[in-house]
DNA sequence: GCAAGGTAATTTGATGTCAAACTATCTTGC
DNA sequence: GCAAGATAGTTTGACATCAAATTACCTTGC
């Protein structure tokens, strides 16, 4: 065995030169850079959360709930930008683990509202701590451009996030 | 500049005012804005591509291939940032539709290389045209901050895209 | 009042993704 | 050479997601 630990094999050269080829046609496309930046940074967060046995998708749900007394699944779905049907299994899992409580809505039998439990609040803080660690790295990378970055990203989300028929 | 937070959160009322409430704990997190901006803009592109019966995931594959004579699935996987196993079914579909050709590698029986066909090149141009339309909107939104945006996003991808042990 | 249509949540089906297991092949140290 | 380990591609399993269909309940026009 050869051993070279870092043997680098494929062009990737792992750490050796850290250079990722960007296809020429993509170099000027904001959408490409946006996608790659988001995916790589989110995966780093997800990996860290996963090591603590936490689902990254829970973070936004718990955080949104942490800021409001209670909400219906539909409200949660709109604010988190996920289809309602996607929430069904998440809420089931969160409820099963005692992180949220469901309570029937007396005014509407179809609906119910969801509220964080004490454990849920604890879990939210734990996930937030992990997120903040990662975001600090993003802050460093953005440096003085952070405000501009957030402003532009916000405009993008506002523009494309409009319900299509508006 | 920072653009301003939505004052109203409560109602949400769909289109009525087009403002999406951003949870307070997320307002200062770059990762959150990155995620929302990427998801909303990518979905807009995916929807447009889907109307032409094109899979958005094909775009990066075809484009990368358009810039090189031929590549192995593993190289493609690294450049596109997708797991190798993910490419298996995509390449099968692309091959089945006659958009790419596979050819065995005489030097290594395990491997093969992939090349665009004429139809594949046509399809790539078509997808690129759609992507460019969307990216033009992103350009407008970014305005004079485009260069800064791309630079920051590139640094993020480079930092987090490193193989984990670096 | 009540039928028609809307809404809340769920279920189901199709995708896209990663990671881990697997098979076949190549490479290397000895 | 050849056994041990690395590598290429695939298969399989687990998820997250969306969209369409379903069910139960609500609201409205008349």
């Amino acid at each position: 065995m050869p051993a070279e630990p870092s043997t680098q094999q494929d062009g990737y050269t792992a750490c050796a030169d850290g250079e990722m080829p960007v296809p020429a046609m993509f170099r000027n496309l904001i959408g490409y850079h946006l996608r790659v930046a988001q995916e790589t940074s989110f995966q780093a967060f997800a990996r860290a959360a996963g090591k603590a046995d936490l689902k990254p998708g829970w973070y936004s749900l718990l955080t949104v709930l942490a800021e409001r007394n209670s909400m219906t699944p539909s409200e949660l779905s709109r604010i988190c930008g996920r289809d309602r049907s996607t929430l069904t299994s998440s809420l089931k899992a969160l409820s099963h683990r005692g992180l949220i409580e469901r309570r029937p809505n007396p005014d509407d039998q179809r609906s119910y509202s969801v509220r964080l439990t004490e454990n849920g609040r604890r879990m939210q803080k734990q996930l937030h701590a992990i997120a903040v660690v990662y975001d600090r790295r993003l802050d460093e990378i953005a440096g003085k451009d952070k405000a501009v970055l957030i402003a532009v990203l916000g405009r993008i989300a506002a523009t494309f996030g409009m319900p299509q028929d508006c």
Side-chain angles (χ1 to χ4, degrees), chain A residues 130-147:
Chain A
I130 294 173
V132 164
V133 166
Y134 275 85
D135 223 75
R136 213 169 287 146
R137 295 182 67 185
L138 289 173
D139 279 351
E140 286 165 16
I141 293 167
K144 65 173 174 34
D145 299 322
K146 176 175 177 178

Side-chain angles (χ1 to χ4, degrees), chain A residues 4-164:
Chain A
E4 329 232 29
S6 26
T7 283
Q8 173 13 263
Q9 68 297 21
D10 12 13
Y12 203 82
T13 77
C15 311
D17 75 271
E19 188 58 44
M20 191 63 127
V22 175
M25 279 176 131
F26 289 158
R27 253 174 234 143
N28 201 38
L29 293 185
I30 292 175
Y32 169 78
H33 296 280
L34 196 51
R35 184 161 165 81
V36 175
Q38 196 276 319
E39 285 184 349
T40 55
S41 61
F42 181 75
Q43 275 168 21
F45 166 65
R47 218 180 323 264
K51 279 189 182 144
D53 200 32
L54 305 174
K55 308 280 181 184
W58 293 358
Y59 175 45
S60 55
L61 297 178
L62 295 177
T63 299
V64 168
L65 285 172
E67 300 191 351
R68 295 240 224 149
N69 257 349
S70 76
M71 310 183 64
T72 64
S74 287
E75 292 174 305
L76 206 46
S77 138
R78 281 193 305 271
I79 296 184
C80 293
R82 303 266 157 269
D83 193 89
R84 279 175 310 161
S85 62
T86 303
L87 262 46
T88 300
S89 65
S90 301
L91 295 178
K92 196 176 293 180
L94 290 171
S95 168
H96 187 258
R97 298 208 181 196
L99 303 177
I100 61 172
E101 266 179 0
R102 313 157 101 124
R103 139 177 341 185
N105 178 346
D107 298 339
D108 188 337
Q109 304 291 108
R110 296 168 302 177
S111 188
Y112 61 87
S113 60
V114 170
R115 213 163 53 82
L116 276 195
T117 60
E118 242 349 280
N119 274 343
R121 200 165 292 275
R122 243 193 307 281
M123 178 69 85
Q124 191 277 329
K125 288 194 174 97
Q126 202 179 340
L127 276 163
H128 188 63
I130 294 173
V132 164
V133 166
Y134 275 85
D135 223 75
R136 213 169 287 146
R137 295 182 67 185
L138 289 173
D139 279 351
E140 286 165 16
I141 293 167
K144 65 173 174 34
D145 299 322
K146 176 175 177 178
V148 167
L149 177 64
I150 287 184
V152 173
L153 295 175
R155 291 199 300 270
I156 291 171
T159 302
F160 288 98
M162 296 271 202
Q164 45 288 69

